[in-house]
Amino acid sequence: MKKLLSLSCISLFLALGSASCMKQVNKDDAKREVLIPYITKIGNNTDLFVTNMNGDKVQLTDDAFEEADPSMMPNGKILFSSKRTGTWQVYIINSDGTNLKAVTNDKGFNNYRPAIAIDGSILMVSDREVKPKIYSIDTDGKSPVKLTNSDDYYDYPSPLDDGTILYMSNTVSKWEIWKMNADGSNKKRITNMSVKPISLAAMPSYVRDTSLISPSINDDFASRRNVALNNTLISKAVFTARDTKGDLEIFRINLDGSDLRNLTNMPGVDSSPIVTRNGKIVFTSDRDGTFDVWLMDADGYNPINLTKEPYYASAR
């Protein structure tokens, strides 16, 4: 598979820009750059890519291994899971494709769905106890802590900027969205819906429908948590579910259980939402005929096809 930009070019692109790259980027643009990792699939091969919000793409991996679940870290690196050792494990890679590092290397069971928590630890799902549970682990792979203990299924840990964690569980005999503290305490069911959540992302309270409370919000954990704790707006959950016609759609609900909305409401498949740090929703859709990575506002308006690939591309 051909790289769409050279690694040397993307290094300049991510910094201050270069006339030799596809696009000139000035210093202010570079500071504001929001990168979106995603995966592509050609045949049985999946690879990791990254794009900016203009659709300028770079391929980060080119191998025979499966990759999934990419997400950005505050330091600009990318978390993802890969099956390169025979089981799903958690990895970190630079956004220019260098310095691939295994966070977990456990034989006999899978670790997947990684997400960076507000304290800098990594949240993940692990099936080391047969039924998948949510764990916290250091970025060096040490000090795993089990956050969910009941004999149920758990999935999609999604950290909020106030330090709490959203997740999905079938604890009440059906899949619902729950919330817990960073240490796994104070578990509380958020939803009691007629629709069944299939995948989940957290939308911080600083996100408004078409803008942010603070346009200067950035990836610094301290400033993000300060904003989250000092405003009275409600955080939200963004998730995939089937509508009454059976189509997969992107829904949004307040964490007090109010204001359930279908954000996409299109024929076909809209799934796998991710919320970017600037308040946009990244998702996977086949509305143009092939599966691509799309971007829309927090209220579902202004959808844009970011990837426009002739082959499968997905945000998850």
Side-chain angles (χ1 to χ4, degrees):
M1 194 181 296
K2 182 180 178 182
K3 284 182 169 56
L4 301 180
L5 289 179
S6 69
L7 293 182
S8 60
C9 183
I10 190 60
S11 297
L12 291 171
F13 170 71
L14 293 175
L16 302 180
S18 168
S20 63
C21 294
M22 290 175 60
K23 167 186 164 197
Q24 190 76 21
V25 181
N26 63 38
K27 292 182 180 181
D28 290 336
D29 287 338
K31 290 178 181 178
R32 291 192 297 267
E33 195 76 57
V34 174
L35 297 178
I36 299 165
Y38 67 98
I39 60 167
T40 66
K41 185 173 183 179
I42 303 177
N44 294 322
N45 187 36
T46 59
D47 284 307
L48 181 64
F49 281 68
V50 68
T51 180
N52 63 11
M53 297 183 72
N54 294 319
D56 301 319
K57 304 181 284 286
V58 178
Q59 184 175 351
L60 304 184
T61 63
D62 187 2
D63 50 49
F65 306 114
E66 293 182 74
E67 273 104 31
D69 306 321
S71 63
M72 293 301 302
M73 300 176 69
N75 59 8
K77 297 185 179 184
I78 297 170
L79 268 176
F80 69 104
S81 53
S82 178
K83 210 173 180 182
R84 56 191 60 222
T85 61
T87 55
W88 287 104
Q89 301 298 328
V90 176
Y91 292 82
I92 296 174
I93 193 171
N94 289 344
S95 55
D96 63 359
T98 61
N99 197 26
L100 175 66
K101 171 190 171 185
V103 177
T104 63
N105 187 20
D106 298 313
K107 300 184 184 301
F109 54 86
N110 299 286
N111 302 305
Y112 54 98
R113 303 257 200 272
I116 193 75
I118 199 71
D119 62 1
S121 63
I122 294 173
L123 303 174
M124 66 180 186
V125 178
S126 179
D127 64 2
R128 63 190 68 195
E129 294 185 6
V130 183
K131 290 184 178 180
K133 301 291 189 292
I134 296 173
Y135 284 76
S136 172
I137 194 169
D138 294 341
T139 54
D140 59 4
K142 298 178 180 179
S143 306
V145 177
K146 185 169 64 171
L147 301 180
T148 55
N149 294 296
S150 65
D151 189 30
D152 300 296
Y153 290 90
Y154 297 86
D155 208 348
Y156 287 98
S158 304
L160 285 163
D161 282 12
D162 63 359
T164 58
I165 301 167
L166 296 183
Y167 62 96
M168 287 169 37
S169 177
N170 69 342
T171 301
V172 290
S173 300
K174 65 174 183 173
W175 285 96
E176 295 285 357
I177 298 170
W178 292 66
K179 182 180 177 181
M180 63 181 169
N181 291 338
D183 61 0
S185 64
N186 196 27
K187 293 178 176 64
K188 177 183 178 182
R189 188 174 70 173
I190 298 299
T191 60
N192 185 12
M193 302 181 293
S194 58
V195 295
K196 173 187 173 182
I198 298 172
S199 65
L200 173 67
M203 179 176 284
S205 58
Y206 64 73
V207 177
R208 287 180 172 172
D209 277 349
T210 55
S211 63
L212 303 179
I213 292 174
S214 170
S216 62
I217 199 74
N218 55 42
D219 271 339
D220 175 70
F221 276 138
S223 63
R224 288 171 61 185
R225 189 169 192 272
N226 184 59
V227 170
L229 293 175
N230 287 282
N231 76 74
T232 58
L233 296 182
I234 300 173
S235 297
K236 302 171 180 66
V238 182
F239 61 95
T240 306
R242 293 192 182 276
D243 65 9
T244 55
K245 300 186 293 291
D247 293 330
L248 284 173
E249 305 287 0
I250 306 295
F251 289 81
R252 192 184 81 179
I253 192 169
N254 292 340
L255 294 194
D256 61 3
S258 65
D259 197 22
L260 175 65
R261 301 186 192 183
N262 184 339
L263 298 181
T264 48
N265 200 24
M266 294 282 291
V269 174
D270 296 297
S271 66
S272 307
I274 300 287
V275 179
T276 67
R277 63 178 171 86
N278 65 339
K280 303 290 186 178
I281 299 174
V282 179
F283 64 104
T284 305
S285 179
D286 67 349
R287 62 182 65 187
D288 273 359
T290 60
F291 282 96
D292 277 296
V293 177
W294 287 67
L295 184 75
M296 65 181 174
D297 293 338
D299 52 11
Y301 287 95
N302 302 314
I304 299 171
N305 187 339
L306 285 177
T307 52
K308 299 178 182 177
E309 303 284 11
Y311 39 80
Y312 178 92
S314 175
R316 292 275 194 174

